[in-house]
Amino acid sequence: MSLDQPPGQPPQQQHPVQASPTPVEPVWSGQVRPSRTGPIVLGIVGIVLAGLALLAVFLYLATLLGTGALLVGLLLALLPLAVVLLSVRWIDRWDPEPRPALIFALLWGAGISIVSALIVDLGVQITIAASAGALAGSDFASAVIQAPIVEEGAKGFGVLVLFWAVRRHFHGPLDGVVYAATIAAGFAFSENIQYFGLAMAEGNAQTLGITFLLRGVFSPFAHVTFTICTGLALGLAARRSATKNGAVAFFLLGLVPAIGLHALWNGATFLLTGDASVLFYYVVVQVPLFIVAILVVVFLRRQEARTTLRRLHEYSQAGWFTAAEVSMLGTDSGRRQALAWGARQSRPKQLAMRLFIADATRLAFVRDQLVRGRSFPALNAREARLLTRLMHHRADVLGQALPGSTPAA
């Protein structure tokens, strides 16, 4: 398919050769239409439970802060949340994750992770009270040991749940980063409501301004930086074809640096006194860590693009795509040109072009798993369904109809 056409004209059709890609096992092993009822129900239940947990957090904060402080904290907390989520959207642009999974991730961070941390903290407080003061003075241990372990454990377990629940969409480290960053964004959102609300209720406008500067401007990505360590580890588990049970080892491996970075952050803010010391620590330690995280994400994003281009080229050699289509589907510039072309067409053609790009990316990652040795019937059947869908997307873009049945969902 070529988009080098006058404006308003559809690309010229290229008839694909019905050949299976090599060297993977035959593509057309028969149409398999697994029931989606189970995963859909589980997804709805998960989102509802996580939403109820967030509601419980709001009720707790309303009791703690009062309605006025809660609303102010909520409005201020939305600003850093928007910044983080926009960044996640940019990271996830090449191969977008399912919207329900991202909603669940956000609710898990803002609801379930916070509830878990509150329950553990309550248990610790009860234990301290029962010890008749023997454990008094443990604020440092609470900040540097308890909080990092509990909070990173709760957030990281959410990434592990998503690894198990949406395994076929969990292709590699960048997917782990997306889910981990979304969970961390949700956690920071609820936590920021509490900090901003307390600053307003117990201080004044200056106190609130300083708190927002520290948490909303200087460190909106702090929790993200911690939790993506777990996401990267589980992404490596996906890349190495680890089983669901085997992913637990990767989860624990990623949890260690996540806890360490969180403890480093809490310990520094707990021990350092004076604005100059805090600022020096932030510039010397936290800024380089954040830069490293950015570089890792950029590298992973480019790696995804290279993988897509390489695997689609293999399909091209087997006759599924033309060289022009591979360039269109597997490069940033080609996609921009394709989407610009689609924007000038009718709504159905525009949608078909978007689906053509999205399913081609999914196909490339399915093949990458096959090449890496994860060949089993369900994955081969998914490859077949995607190829069927892609042929129909191509026909829809061209305004033509393919004979036969409609593509599998």
Side-chain angles (χ1 to χ4, degrees), residues 294-307:
I294 292 175
L295 293 176
V296 169
V297 168
V298 170
F299 169 77
L300 292 174
R301 199 169 180 277
R302 291 181 176 178
Q303 189 180 52
E304 275 202 346
R306 288 194 295 268
T307 298

Side-chain angles (χ1 to χ4, degrees), residues 192-372:
N192 281 338
I193 294 175
Q194 178 176 344
Y195 276 96
F196 298 154
L198 287 174
M200 178 184 175
E202 299 175 359
N204 49 37
Q206 182 180 3
T207 303
L208 179 59
I210 292 174
T211 304
F212 180 79
L213 183 67
L214 292 175
R215 296 190 62 86
V217 178
F218 282 174
S219 59
F221 290 92
H223 276 288
V224 172
T225 305
F226 311 149
T227 312
I228 63 172
C229 295
T230 307
L232 285 169
L234 286 171
L236 289 175
R239 181 66 57 82
R240 292 175 178 272
S241 307
T243 62
K244 291 184 178 182
N245 292 332
V248 174
F250 285 88
F251 163 70
L252 296 175
L253 183 65
L255 200 57
V256 173
I259 293 172
L261 289 176
H262 198 150
L264 179 65
W265 173 267
N266 284 6
T269 56
F270 190 91
L271 293 176
L272 295 177
T273 58
D275 295 340
S277 298
V278 173
L279 182 60
F280 177 78
Y281 163 80
Y282 180 79
V283 172
V284 173
V285 178
Q286 290 301 322
V287 170
L289 286 174
F290 182 57
I291 292 174
V292 169
I294 292 175
L295 293 176
V296 169
V297 168
V298 170
F299 169 77
L300 292 174
R301 199 169 180 277
R302 291 181 176 178
Q303 189 180 52
E304 275 202 346
R306 288 194 295 268
T307 298
T308 303
L309 191 62
R310 181 168 60 251
R311 298 311 179 201
L312 291 182
H313 176 69
E314 293 169 2
Y315 282 108
S316 173
Q317 291 180 315
W320 287 104
F321 302 108
T322 67
E325 285 176 332
V326 171
S327 179
M328 180 189 77
L329 298 168
T331 64
D332 276 318
S333 59
R335 290 184 174 194
R336 285 194 297 267
Q337 187 181 2
L339 293 173
W341 178 88
R344 300 192 296 267
Q345 311 306 311
S346 63
R347 179 65 179 171
K349 286 189 177 183
Q350 181 180 358
L351 178 60
M353 180 62 80
R354 291 182 179 275
L355 292 174
F356 195 33
I357 294 172
D359 280 341
T361 308
R362 297 186 182 104
L363 176 67
F365 285 108
V366 167
R367 175 166 177 81
D368 194 60
Q369 294 180 69
L370 290 168
V371 170
R372 291 176 181 275

Side-chain angles (χ1 to χ4, degrees), residues 36-50 100-101 103-104 107 165-166:
R36 300 293 179 88
T37 304
I40 290 174
V41 171
L42 288 176
I44 293 173
V45 171
I47 290 176
V48 169
L49 291 178
I103 293 173
F104 174 78
L107 292 174
V166 291

Side-chain angles (χ1 to χ4, degrees), residues 6-22:
Q9 295 297 319
Q12 183 179 0
Q13 182 181 17
Q14 299 289 342
H15 298 284
V17 178
Q18 298 297 316
S20 57
T22 56

